[in-house]
Every structure is written in C-alpha cells, then in structure tokens.
Amino acid sequence: MEKLQKSLDLALEWLSGPAVVRNNEPVGERGRAFGYTFWNGAIRGEYCSSEKVWDSFCPVWHTGQAVKAFVMASGLPGKEKYLENARECAGFIMAQQIDSGRDAGLILAFEDHSDKVNTSAILEAVDGLFMLTDVSGEKKYEECALKALSWIASHAWQKDMGKFFDLYQISSGNFIFGVEGAQNRPLLDDAVFLKGWHRCGDPLFLEIASATAETLFQDEKPAGNWIKYIPCSVKNNTLHPRHAYWWGLPMLELFRETGERRYYDLFCRAVEWYRNALRRDGGLFRGTGADFNTASFGHVASGSACAAIMFEKYYEESGDDSVLPLISSAENFCMQMQITNPEDPSLRGAILEKVMPPDGSDRIPFLIRDLGTIFFVQAASLTLQRAAN
C-alpha cells in the first residue's frame, strides 16, 4: 500500500497543479471553439507528447470526474486540502450553467461538437457536485446538479423509449441526429437520477432511473455490456473500456435501493466482463472485442482504473476476495504508466493514458489524457480507504 500511496500523492500533485487552468485561457484549438468565457478550474484534457501541445476534450465532464476524485481523496488521512481543489474545479462547471430563459439549468457540456451539448457529458459531471455538497455542506453544488438533471428530465428524456436524446443544438433548441455522437441512449451514468431523487424527492427522477435500467436489461449484449450503443461499435465488434463501468456500476446502486436481485446480477455480469477483459499485466484496451481479442496498441489506463473501481465495489458488497489480485494488477498497471521522471516537469505524476500505433515517424507515440489520472485517483482512494478500515 505504501507504493500505491506514493503514486496517488504524485497523481494528486499533477491533477491539482499543472492539470488545472488558472490563467483563464482556453485549452487548445478545440477549447477555443467552445466559446467559454471562464476557464479557471477546468482540467486540461490531452497532451500530445510528440508535438508538446495541450488540447481540450469535453472539459465539463472530465472536470466533473476530477471533482469526484478530489472529494474521494480528501477523505484519506492528510489529504483534506484537496477539498479546496474540488471546489475550484466545481466552479468551472457551475460557470457553464445557463441561469435563465429557455435552457435554464442546462450545463454547456460540449464534446465532439462546439455548438452541440452532450446529455451524457452533463450526467457524468454532476455526481462530483453531489459528493462535494455531502462533504462540504455547501448546497450550491447540489443545486447546480439538480437544475441540470431537471433540464435533462424535461428536455432529453424519452419516456416511451426509456432513453435520452443526446446531442442538443443550442442555437435551434433542438436535438440533432445523423451526425457523430447522435444516438439515443439509456444513460444510467453514475446513477445520478437515483441520487437526485434522494435529494429532491421528484418522483420523475426515480422513474427515469428505473426505466433506463429496464432498457439496459433489454439491450444487454454481450453479457455485462452493451455493444449496440456508442462509443462501442457493432460494425467493428468492439467495446469501449469504460462502457460496462458507466452502466454496470449503477446497477449496484439500484440493487441497494430496491433489494431486487436482478440488478445485482447484472452488476456482477459487468464485473465479470472486466475480469475477462483485463490483460495479464492489468492493462485494458480501447477496442476490446466481444471475444476479448484486442489490437496490439491502444491500451487505456482509465479503463484499468475503472476495472479496479468495479472490483472494489464488488468486494465491498460480496466479500469475494478473488478480485483483490485483480485490483492490485489493474492499479499496478496504472502505476507503471505514471510519469515520474520527465524532462518536462509539468507532466510529473500524470498517468499515461494510451500508446498510439506507429505512424511511420520517430515521434513519441504517447497520449497523456486527464482521465487516466482522474480515474486512477478514484480507484486508489477506494483501495487505500479499504486498507485504512
């Protein structure tokens, strides 16, 4: 655990230091296209080591997950100071929320398109706000999250299909189809509607959580995963490394809420998917096939970290210690990917997310992405908290 603690310390130093925008400058070409006027507290998204430039990719939900990581880390002995970093990052998210008019409550969570908001990106940003309110007692974070969920419930929810519209064009006030990222999906991410229902009592929130889960039961394929929905691909027969995490882990929350065993069984199938997808050294690949075959390049450290989180939650619920070596393996892989002695000191502590395929040049094929570090912090915090208890 000492090695894991040191690695977590380094990761937190990077995530709270060089990774955070504090000069209010947009991050990269994509960042400038988003049109945000307030950038302080945002997490820088991607660093291309061959070109030595930063760029931004959906800073709202990435920063939201960083809030979650900081809050989780702040619960460890001697780490209380990271709660202030959580507040700093939450300030960026809150600055992107529309206050009034037709879209009051909407958070401008842009991802693939600079003029279209992704519903999924809003959902993945708000759990950290709930957690921050719980630890700090400051209601403004929870209020921001509930307003965002209310906007989604009234605009994006498709009751008859048990899914959400997922690509909203600001200028027209309409959801868009026929372009990249435009697929109606059963977004159960972070179980935020269930958590929102606990906080505000709106029965629609509970209805949405339950109906979304029902759609996922219907569409599960392969076991514990959902290949028919992006970013998975039926055409390429590949599954995204965090997909079973986003929709499998919330099933545990629903089981704990309802006591219905089928939710727990689906969660366990998602855990089993990670058990099979994890490579011998704890790595996990971006394009994992339905048969668990993979390409030779493109490992995703954030996938290994999410696997560790799934195993931690499974162990917490079941006491099945067969997953403990898998947790160690996944976290050790992330630690192997950590940059500890770089020429560029601004990269010290970051987790290398991916090794890209060769392109015929001698450029360094490393992709540093904030998510590798963010999810590693979450996973390591869970493991160290378990050890402390």
Side-chain angles (χ1 to χ4, degrees):
M1 289 297 172
E2 183 179 352
K3 180 183 176 183
L4 182 63
Q5 181 67 70
K6 290 180 178 178
S7 188
L8 174 62
D9 289 343
L10 273 178
L12 284 166
E13 288 175 15
W14 180 79
L15 194 61
S16 63
V20 183
V21 176
R22 294 192 171 96
N23 60 3
N24 206 33
E25 290 292 325
V27 181
E29 291 299 321
R30 280 188 300 215
R32 279 187 280 276
F34 294 151
Y36 297 146
T37 59
F38 184 85
W39 275 90
N40 287 342
I43 299 294
R44 292 185 172 90
E46 297 179 349
Y47 182 80
C48 180
S49 55
S50 62
E51 299 177 9
K52 299 188 184 305
V53 294
W54 284 98
D55 208 347
S56 183
F57 186 78
C58 201
V60 166
W61 86 254
H62 286 209
T63 303
Q65 290 298 311
V67 173
K68 191 171 179 177
F70 284 130
V71 172
M72 292 171 72
S74 73
L76 296 170
K79 300 288 189 295
E80 297 82 3
K81 66 180 182 179
Y82 290 109
L83 199 60
E84 190 55 40
N85 296 107
R87 290 188 179 98
E88 181 181 30
C89 290
F92 166 74
I93 298 168
M94 294 174 69
Q96 314 316 324
Q97 187 165 50
I98 295 176
D99 293 329
S100 60
R102 177 190 68 194
D103 289 325
L106 172 66
I107 297 175
L108 299 176
F110 302 116
E111 190 161 339
D112 296 310
H113 306 273
S114 60
D115 62 338
K116 302 175 184 69
V117 170
N118 287 72
T119 302
S120 56
I122 302 172
L123 294 175
E124 291 163 9
V126 301
D127 194 26
L129 300 178
F130 284 150
M131 294 174 69
L132 183 52
T133 283
D134 290 345
V135 173
S136 71
E138 298 170 72
K139 287 289 187 179
K140 62 182 179 180
Y141 305 114
E142 176 183 277
E143 290 167 359
C144 172
L146 290 174
K147 288 175 183 176
L149 292 180
S150 293
W151 186 93
I152 292 171
S154 61
H155 290 74
W157 174 240
Q158 299 171 271
K159 182 178 180 179
D160 57 333
M161 298 183 67
K163 301 178 185 180
F164 297 86
F165 293 127
D166 196 23
L167 202 59
Y168 181 73
Q169 187 174 54
I170 303 296
S171 59
S172 67
N174 294 316
F175 285 89
I176 303 300
F177 307 95
V179 299
E180 182 183 0
Q183 183 186 24
N184 300 343
R185 293 187 288 165
L187 300 166
L188 198 61
D189 309 50
D190 276 340
V192 288
F193 273 102
L194 178 64
K195 295 170 183 176
W197 169 69
H198 272 289
R199 292 163 188 274
C200 72
D202 187 340
L204 177 58
F205 283 17
L206 180 59
E207 177 187 323
I208 287 173
S210 299
T212 304
E214 289 305 313
T215 303
L216 290 171
F217 275 110
Q218 296 169 19
D219 293 345
E220 181 189 5
K221 184 179 179 181
N225 220 314
W226 295 269
I227 199 169
K228 71 179 286 184
Y229 293 110
I230 58 173
C232 300
S233 172
V234 173
K235 178 181 177 182
N236 297 323
N237 194 36
T238 55
L239 293 142
H240 189 280
R242 295 188 302 273
H243 209 199
Y245 166 83
W246 287 123
W247 297 351
L249 182 54
M251 293 294 174
L252 179 60
E253 300 279 354
L254 284 161
F255 166 68
R256 289 172 172 173
E257 178 64 37
T258 66
E260 291 187 37
R261 181 75 186 190
R262 63 192 188 118
Y263 292 122
Y264 180 68
D265 290 343
L266 180 46
F267 163 69
C268 290
R269 291 195 294 274
V271 170
E272 190 65 19
W273 186 87
Y274 279 108
R275 194 191 293 263
N276 290 318
L278 209 65
R279 302 296 84 184
R280 186 175 299 171
D281 62 356
L284 207 153
F285 281 82
R286 173 65 170 81
T288 298
D291 59 356
F292 299 104
N293 199 0
T294 71
S296 297
F297 291 89
H299 77 263
V300 179
S302 61
S304 294
C306 285
I309 294 169
M310 290 287 284
F311 297 141
E312 282 286 359
K313 292 295 185 179
Y314 172 73
Y315 177 72
E316 177 185 305
E317 187 67 31
S318 70
D320 180 0
D321 60 9
S322 69
V323 295
L324 296 182
L326 298 176
I327 295 169
S328 296
S329 179
E331 292 177 344
N332 281 335
F333 181 84
C334 292
M335 288 188 280
Q336 285 182 301
M337 295 298 103
Q338 190 167 41
I339 300 171
T340 58
N341 190 30
E343 291 184 7
D344 182 351
S346 68
L347 299 181
R348 185 173 182 267
I351 305 291
L352 176 64
E353 173 75 343
K354 186 182 296 186
V355 177
M356 307 297 287
D359 64 357
S361 75
D362 62 352
R363 292 186 297 181
I364 300 172
F366 295 160
L367 177 65
I368 295 160
R369 202 175 186 212
D370 54 355
L371 293 182
T373 310
I374 288 168
F375 282 110
F376 170 72
V377 169
Q378 293 184 21
S381 296
L382 285 175
T383 299
L384 289 168
Q385 190 65 61
R386 169 170 55 84
N389 293 337

